[in-house]
Amino acid sequence: MSKALIIIDIQNDYFENGAMELVGALEASEKANQILTKFRNENLPIVHIQHLSVAPGSTFFLPETEGQDIHTNVKPIEGEKVITKYYPNSFRETELLDHLKAKGITELVFVGMMTQMCIDATVRAAKDLDFECTVIEDACATRDLEVNGVQVKALDVQTAFLAGLNFFYADVINTENYLSV
């Protein structure tokens, strides 16, 4: 079984003073860096996903802004694949599936942002495409949300979405446990 690391949307706009600051973004990016270092040290495939917002009314990840840049904690190095996407699902209208198939990848390890949006959409799509999926829970981040006047704290959003993924779509573990395997 060949595996690859998929780093989703760890971009400047999600950090302090960014256009869409997430709760715990810095800490999650530091955990993602630990996973990235493991993959680099083991010479395993790495794919960086970068979201660009081009829809009318977009307020973050705007093209040609510092906010759309991949954060320094997980900055790609020469030889690492970078794929641009325009939708939450990293497979939609991108070359991701073809790239993974060409490399014989069957297992994906996910880190990134936002848990309830791009992580969730991509992991579910990956499982539907027959990939074995692992999500590194503490290398992901989200934000407080609101629905019908009810405030939902980021920790509750994170927990609920990861619990949903863990039921069928992915093994959800933390960085320490993943690195100890």
Side-chain angles (χ1 to χ4, degrees), residues 10-128:
I10 301 183
Q11 296 168 241
N12 290 335
D13 269 341
Y14 281 151
F15 290 80
E16 186 174 0
N17 300 316
M20 180 59 71
E21 185 176 343
L22 302 184
V23 174
L26 182 61
E27 296 82 0
S29 73
E30 290 167 346
K31 297 293 187 179
N33 176 271
Q34 291 178 36
I35 303 298
L36 174 59
T37 299
K38 175 182 175 63
F39 273 72
R40 285 176 174 163
N41 289 342
E42 295 178 9
N43 200 30
L44 293 170
I46 297 162
V47 179
H48 299 264
I49 305 293
Q50 182 180 28
H51 194 116
L52 293 182
S53 295
V54 295
S58 295
T59 59
F60 63 102
F61 295 163
L62 302 176
E64 299 179 28
T65 65
E66 187 177 313
Q68 60 100 53
D69 292 341
I70 294 174
H71 192 269
T72 187
N73 284 352
V74 294
K75 196 147 194 79
I77 61 174
E78 189 174 331
E80 292 176 353
K81 184 74 171 168
V82 178
I83 294 176
T84 301
K85 70 176 176 71
Y86 303 97
Y87 300 97
N89 175 355
S90 300
F91 291 96
R92 182 176 173 186
E93 297 178 27
T94 71
E95 62 185 297
L96 180 58
L97 181 58
D98 290 340
H99 176 75
L100 296 172
K101 282 184 172 182
K103 293 199 166 294
I105 303 297
T106 58
E107 180 183 347
L108 302 175
V109 176
F110 294 93
V111 300
M113 303 173 180
M114 285 192 280
T115 307
Q116 84 286 359
M117 187 62 69
C118 299
I119 296 295
D120 185 69
T122 303
V123 170
R124 289 173 187 271
K127 182 67 173 183
D128 288 345

